[in-house]
Every structure is written in structure tokens, then in C-alpha cells.
Amino acid sequence: MSQTIKLSRLQQQLESLSYPIDADEAADSFADTTVTFADGDADLGTLIGKIDADRFESAEGLYSDLNNVLPIEALGEPGQSDGDA
């Protein structure tokens, strides 16, 4: 059953898993889940599969690792800086 979640609800969704969890099992759990951002979307299972880890100890750890593999569209306006004046 496929589902769609907003990026702002991602951490809450990750808390539905039982930890620790193997990376492959986590990816399989969200294989049909689409995460939507302001300018696009991505398959959550695929994103988890891109993380270079064998297992996750907590939802917080998985969420932190996911932030490193999110596409640029999820992180804000491309080409914008945080205050280089």
C-alpha cells in the first residue's frame, strides 16, 4: 500500500519502526512511501537505501542520516545562501 508524507512529518513516520533496525529492513518498510518537499518528491525506501549504514539505532539517527541524502529540492531554494552579503 503506497502512501505519501510531507517532509515535515518524516521524523514522526520513522518513529513507527522498531529500533535497532537493519538498513535493508528499514528501506523495505518504506518502499512504497513518497516523501514530498516544497519542490518535488522522492521514494523514502530509495533514500534510505542510499545511506551508507548497515543498521539504525534510533529514529533520530535515521532521520539525521536521511538529511545527508535528501535531494537539493528538499533543502530549500537552489543557489540561495544563508546570508553571504
Side-chain angles (χ1 to χ4, degrees):
M1 178 182 195
S2 64
Q3 76 177 27
T4 301
I5 59 171
K6 293 182 179 183
L7 183 60
S8 62
R9 303 274 184 198
L10 179 57
Q11 189 165 4
Q12 179 181 355
Q13 191 69 32
L14 297 176
E15 291 172 359
S16 69
L17 298 176
S18 296
Y19 294 90
I21 189 169
D22 290 334
D24 290 339
E25 186 178 345
D28 289 346
S29 295
F30 292 112
D32 291 331
T33 301
T34 301
V35 179
T36 60
F37 341 111
D39 192 20
D41 59 44
D43 181 79
L44 182 54
T46 301
L47 291 173
I48 293 171
K50 292 180 179 182
I51 298 171
D52 188 27
D54 294 327
R55 66 188 267 145
F56 305 104
E57 299 299 324
S58 66
E60 294 81 17
L62 175 51
Y63 181 75
S64 177
D65 288 346
L66 272 169
N67 280 302
N68 293 322
V69 297
L70 287 173
I72 192 72
E73 295 85 10
L75 306 175
E77 293 289 326
Q80 297 292 318
S81 75
D82 286 337
D84 293 337

